[in-house]
Amino acid sequence: MLTNGVDEAIHLMCAAFLEDDEEALIATPSFFMYDVSVQLMTPHLRKVQADATMEFPFERFMAAITERTKLILVASPNNPTGAVVSREHLLAIAAAAPQAVLMVDEAYYHFHGESTMGDLATVPNLVVARTFSKAYGLANLRIGMLAGNAELLKYVRKVCSPYNVNGVALDCLPVAIADEEYLAWYAEQVRVGRERMMEGLRELGVGFFPSHANFVLMRIGPKHKELVTAMRAHGVLLRDRSTDPGCDGFVRITIGVEEHVTRGLDALKISLQEIGWSAKG
């Protein structure tokens, strides 16, 4: 089922599967639209906070599932941390909550490669979300998709507007999907660039979280706003993630092609010096 980006997919899943007395379950920090869409339908949003490692809190997440849990939203790779949830853990979550629907948000799938798409035929309460905004570069056209059990998607279609995806996006989509050579090239550029960025951060003494997406989350500390401002002056935009749960002092840098990574690292070295940042704080 095609959707107006994954943002709409999340909203439709909440509208289809949540009543106001039922619970949804997410791990935090994660994509903020989960909070927004869930709370349009129910006040009963349960959040399981990751610890300082920012890895997915699997055991505590499993323990948070109740009979009232009707929708579970998990991003892998996760935004903003870049952490992944193993296929085995995702299938265990689905099995532990047969009364609920598990939506696995695979927006950053192409930069990691592991998926639960192949399990849809055997796991009836599993739905996979994908977007064409990231690796395909079609963010401005707003096109995403949901794949899952046909019976489940019937309910989603009932709450979907009839003209949710525009004609320009639909016309571009087959061409984008057919260009497998570009997709493979870009995904490899990001993979190599991500390793370069993480190695550069090690050399600079900047703390970060190992990422499987097209970004890296850095631990800057009290000077995070100063760094964002300094980097902007050098033509590089960072995303300040300090308002995310457990992310005070963290900023995120996106990984692009080789030239962009080089510019980003050069600007980061200069900016850290300009703001007087040190690994000791």
Side-chain angles (χ1 to χ4, degrees):
M1 175 180 173
L2 295 180
T3 60
N4 193 266
V6 170
D7 286 8
E8 188 200 24
I10 296 163
H11 171 73
L12 294 176
M13 291 292 291
C14 293
F17 299 116
L18 285 175
E19 298 291 343
D20 61 5
D21 60 341
E22 296 173 337
E23 293 180 353
L25 179 62
I26 64 173
T28 54
S30 197
F31 187 38
F32 77 98
M33 287 304 296
Y34 301 158
D35 293 58
V36 173
S37 293
V38 166
Q39 294 190 57
L40 285 172
M41 304 305 301
T42 175
H44 305 293
L45 173 60
R46 304 194 74 185
K47 303 179 184 181
V48 181
Q49 177 66 34
D51 62 19
T53 68
M54 289 298 168
E55 294 179 359
F56 183 75
F58 174 68
E59 297 295 340
R60 289 186 290 115
F61 197 83
M62 290 283 281
I65 296 171
T66 73
E67 292 182 356
R68 294 176 62 196
T69 305
K70 298 301 180 181
L71 181 63
I72 303 171
L73 302 168
V74 179
S76 183
N78 186 38
N79 174 13
T81 65
V84 295
V85 188
S86 70
R87 172 176 167 269
E88 289 73 20
H89 281 175
L90 289 168
L91 296 181
I93 292 168
Q99 78 287 357
V101 179
L102 167 63
M103 191 196 88
V104 181
D105 185 347
E106 296 186 354
Y108 299 94
Y109 155 76
H110 296 94
F111 311 116
H112 172 52
E114 187 171 290
S115 174
T116 54
M117 192 73 80
D119 298 295
L120 292 175
T122 55
V123 184
N125 61 333
L126 174 65
V127 173
V128 174
R130 293 270 183 93
T131 182
F132 295 92
S133 295
K134 310 303 180 186
Y136 286 97
L138 302 182
N140 200 44
L141 294 181
R142 308 308 305 144
I143 188 161
M145 59 164 275
L146 289 169
N149 180 292
E151 289 301 312
L152 285 183
L153 292 188
K154 282 183 182 179
Y155 294 104
V156 182
R157 291 183 191 280
K158 286 182 178 181
V159 296
C160 180
S161 64
Y163 308 112
N164 62 324
V165 179
N166 70 80
V168 176
L170 292 175
D171 203 36
C172 293
L173 184 59
V175 180
I177 292 174
D179 197 351
E180 295 180 359
E181 182 178 352
Y182 168 79
L183 186 66
W185 170 82
Y186 184 69
E188 181 65 7
Q189 285 275 303
V190 170
R191 187 192 67 79
V192 172
R194 185 175 63 206
E195 294 303 316
R196 277 187 63 206
M197 180 60 66
M198 291 192 290
E199 182 57 34
L201 294 175
R202 289 188 191 97
E203 293 175 0
L204 291 167
V206 177
F208 66 90
F209 299 91
S211 176
H212 299 271
N214 66 334
F215 52 76
V216 178
L217 186 67
M218 300 180 283
R219 187 189 296 108
I220 299 300
K223 291 181 178 284
H224 60 98
K225 289 184 178 179
E226 292 177 55
L227 180 62
V228 171
T229 300
M231 289 285 279
R232 178 184 288 270
H234 290 286
V236 178
L237 301 180
L238 298 181
R239 180 70 67 86
D240 193 333
R241 306 303 312 200
S242 291
T243 58
D244 288 76
C247 292
D248 187 32
F250 295 176
V251 300
R252 197 186 76 185
I253 188 166
T254 300
I255 308 300
V257 298
E258 182 179 7
E259 177 191 354
H260 296 166
V261 175
T262 299
R263 288 179 59 191
L265 279 170
D266 289 345
L268 186 59
K269 292 174 185 176
I270 296 170
S271 297
L272 289 172
Q273 291 178 347
E274 289 176 347
I275 68 172
W277 182 90
S278 72
K280 297 179 181 179

